[in-house]
Amino acid sequence: MKSKRRKIFEKEVLCHLDRLYGYAMHLCKNGEDASDLVQDTYLNALKSEKQYSIGTNAGAWLFTIMRNTFLNKIRKMSRKPAGMAGEWIEQMTREDISELRKHGPDPSVKCLDNLLKEDIARAIENLPDEFRDTVILCDVQGFSYADIATILDIPIGTVRSRIHRGRLILRNLLADWKNVAMGGS
Amino acid sequence: MTCEDAHLSMHDYISGELAAEHYKPLMDHMDECMNCQEFFRQTAHIQTTMRDFMLYEAPSELQTAVSSILANA
Ligand SMILES: [Zn+2]
């Protein structure tokens, strides 16, 4: 017979299944690996069930477990996460931001309506991992800065600046493509 | 409020993290500044589109698998 605590625990963790699967799809890039990762995440969550206080933040707790599970997996396969921010992206965002400071946002970028799924997907793929993770946790999964800081184990100020810069890079990538598609310069 | 400050505030606003006291200055700035207003609109639009595209529903086999993991533990 299951305890009352255990029943509540199951309910609280189960309602994050779709979100976890979405994040796993983002981490693994395919449905099969994503499903495996979700199951491993639940197994690991059960192992550390006692560390979780009922009625607190099950979402952030599970996402933290999923991220660690994923990192352990790729460490075992001795694969490095691809695409850490190189100098170019540092340079690019530095320039974008100093440009922004001088002139405000570029008013010539006017054609970002009707974005296509493929464009968004491609732009997200082009973001370096650390920006992409942060933007997805915030903009897709709807986590607070504090939760994201916990999940990614980084300071909250870093979360905030990665979100600002990540969104700016996304927008500029999309604007560049749209501009080319519309025959602009 | 400068455009730079407006940018920090509008990102926080879009993230649902803007402190209440910064809300009015941000809106006042955007009333005056068409560039910031447009940038805000675009950034919010990208966010909504991204969210629409990237939300998934777990496949039913996975739902079953997870339920049995929880049930049998
Ligand atoms: Zn402005």
Side-chain angles (χ1 to χ4, degrees), chain A:
Chain A
M1 183 66 188
K2 281 182 184 172
S3 68
K4 192 173 166 214
R5 185 205 131 88
R6 178 52 200 272
K7 281 186 197 147
I8 300 172
F9 173 79
E10 283 180 17
K11 215 172 152 191
E12 285 190 16
V13 295
L14 204 54
C15 70
H16 295 282
L17 178 59
D18 288 339
R19 293 172 86 193
L20 284 167
Y21 180 71
Y23 189 51
M25 279 297 283
H26 152 67
L27 292 172
C28 301
K29 326 265 185 241
N30 73 74
E32 202 179 317
D33 289 348
S35 290
D36 286 348
L37 177 60
V38 170
Q39 294 181 55
D40 290 344
T41 301
Y42 277 101
L43 285 167
N44 288 335
L46 277 169
K47 279 184 206 150
S48 36
E49 185 197 333
K50 290 199 173 62
Q51 289 162 21
Y52 175 70
S53 331
I54 292 292
T56 57
N57 196 338
W61 184 68
L62 287 165
F63 271 67
T64 308
I65 294 175
M66 172 171 277
R67 195 176 163 74
N68 292 335
T69 308
F70 176 73
L71 290 177
N72 280 334
K73 256 189 180 178
I74 54 173
R75 217 168 280 142
K76 270 187 202 139
M77 286 157 36
S78 68
R79 230 178 59 200
K80 275 195 203 106
M84 299 307 274
E87 187 49 35
W88 69 271
I89 207 108
E90 287 288 327
Q91 181 69 22
M92 175 176 152
T93 48
R94 254 199 310 272
E95 279 165 12
D96 283 342
I97 285 168
S98 75
E99 206 40 31
L100 207 61
R101 280 180 189 157
K102 272 186 248 143
H103 311 292
D106 177 2
S108 71
V109 178
K110 289 243 189 280
C111 45
L112 284 183
D113 294 334
N114 306 317
L115 291 167
L116 298 173
K117 186 174 182 170
E118 295 72 48
D119 289 336
I120 294 265
R122 187 153 65 105
I124 290 171
E125 278 312 303
N126 273 281
L127 278 180
D129 278 1
E130 61 262 47
F131 291 101
R132 187 167 57 218
D133 277 351
T134 322
V135 169
I136 285 179
L137 287 169
C138 180
D139 286 344
V140 180
Q141 300 291 347
F143 280 111
S144 68
Y145 290 174
D147 284 347
I148 299 170
T150 308
I151 295 167
L152 298 179
D153 196 21
I154 53 175
I156 202 162
T158 310
V159 171
R160 191 169 182 242
S161 77
R162 281 186 190 175
I163 286 168
H164 293 186
R165 296 170 71 184
R167 284 183 188 151
L168 190 62
I169 300 169
L170 268 184
R171 171 203 178 254
N172 289 353
L173 285 171
L174 289 164
D176 278 353
W177 297 335
K178 283 265 179 182
N179 224 5
V180 171
M182 309 228 341
S185 54

